[in-house]
Amino acid sequence: MHIAHNPEAPVCDTIDFDQFLSVDIRVGQIIQAHPFPEARKPAFKLVIDFGPVIGIKRSSAQITENYRLEDLLNRQVAAVVNFPPRQIGKFMSEVLTLGFPDASGHIVLFKPDVDVPLGSRLS
């Protein structure tokens, strides 16, 4: 899924609150991070623990410019957990890990300021 990273992009169409609630954004903790050399664009393979209700999910994340694999372990991240899985090469990405582009357009992961229970839902 490609999302515009342009801070000058126009605001999206207005949605109602029920539409917003249908996007399930949860906090998880990265428990494994691996290189993804076969990806078309530089990326890492992440394994993220979302706690007992959602469990462990995998995600491909184009974050190689701002992060080293060893710095990702045990980091809390936010992700959309109710999109359908997406095949990326031979890898099945099950959640969309969230981030924002920095001034150079490289993704910076979104995370809570303090640790929260795994699986906590954005509210």
Side-chain angles (χ1 to χ4, degrees):
M1 173 181 304
H2 177 72
I3 300 172
H5 298 300
N6 179 357
E8 304 291 322
V11 174
C12 294
D13 293 338
T14 300
I15 62 171
D16 64 40
F17 193 67
D18 288 337
Q19 287 173 298
F20 170 72
L21 289 177
S22 70
V23 179
D24 195 353
I25 299 173
R26 305 279 182 130
V27 168
Q29 183 173 19
I30 299 172
I31 58 173
Q32 294 178 32
H34 304 283
F36 193 1
E38 61 273 21
R40 236 177 349 131
K41 295 181 181 178
F44 293 141
K45 296 177 189 177
L46 305 178
V47 179
I48 306 169
D49 183 357
F50 289 95
V53 173
I54 296 169
I56 295 172
K57 300 291 182 180
R58 300 177 335 148
S59 181
S60 170
Q62 296 174 1
I63 56 173
T64 58
E65 294 86 359
N66 285 326
Y67 300 94
R68 298 177 309 165
L69 289 171
E70 57 270 18
D71 296 333
L72 294 170
L73 290 180
N74 300 315
R75 179 188 176 92
Q76 286 197 330
V77 293
V80 176
V81 298
N82 67 331
F83 284 155
R86 185 164 182 213
Q87 189 76 41
I88 301 174
K90 294 181 180 182
F91 183 77
M92 184 64 71
S93 188
E94 300 171 297
V95 299
L96 176 64
T97 305
L98 300 176
F100 294 94
D102 63 16
S104 300
H106 303 133
I107 300 301
V108 175
L109 293 171
F110 180 79
K111 69 172 256 175
D113 287 340
V114 297
D115 285 351
V116 297
L118 300 183
S120 293
R121 185 168 184 196
L122 179 72
S123 57

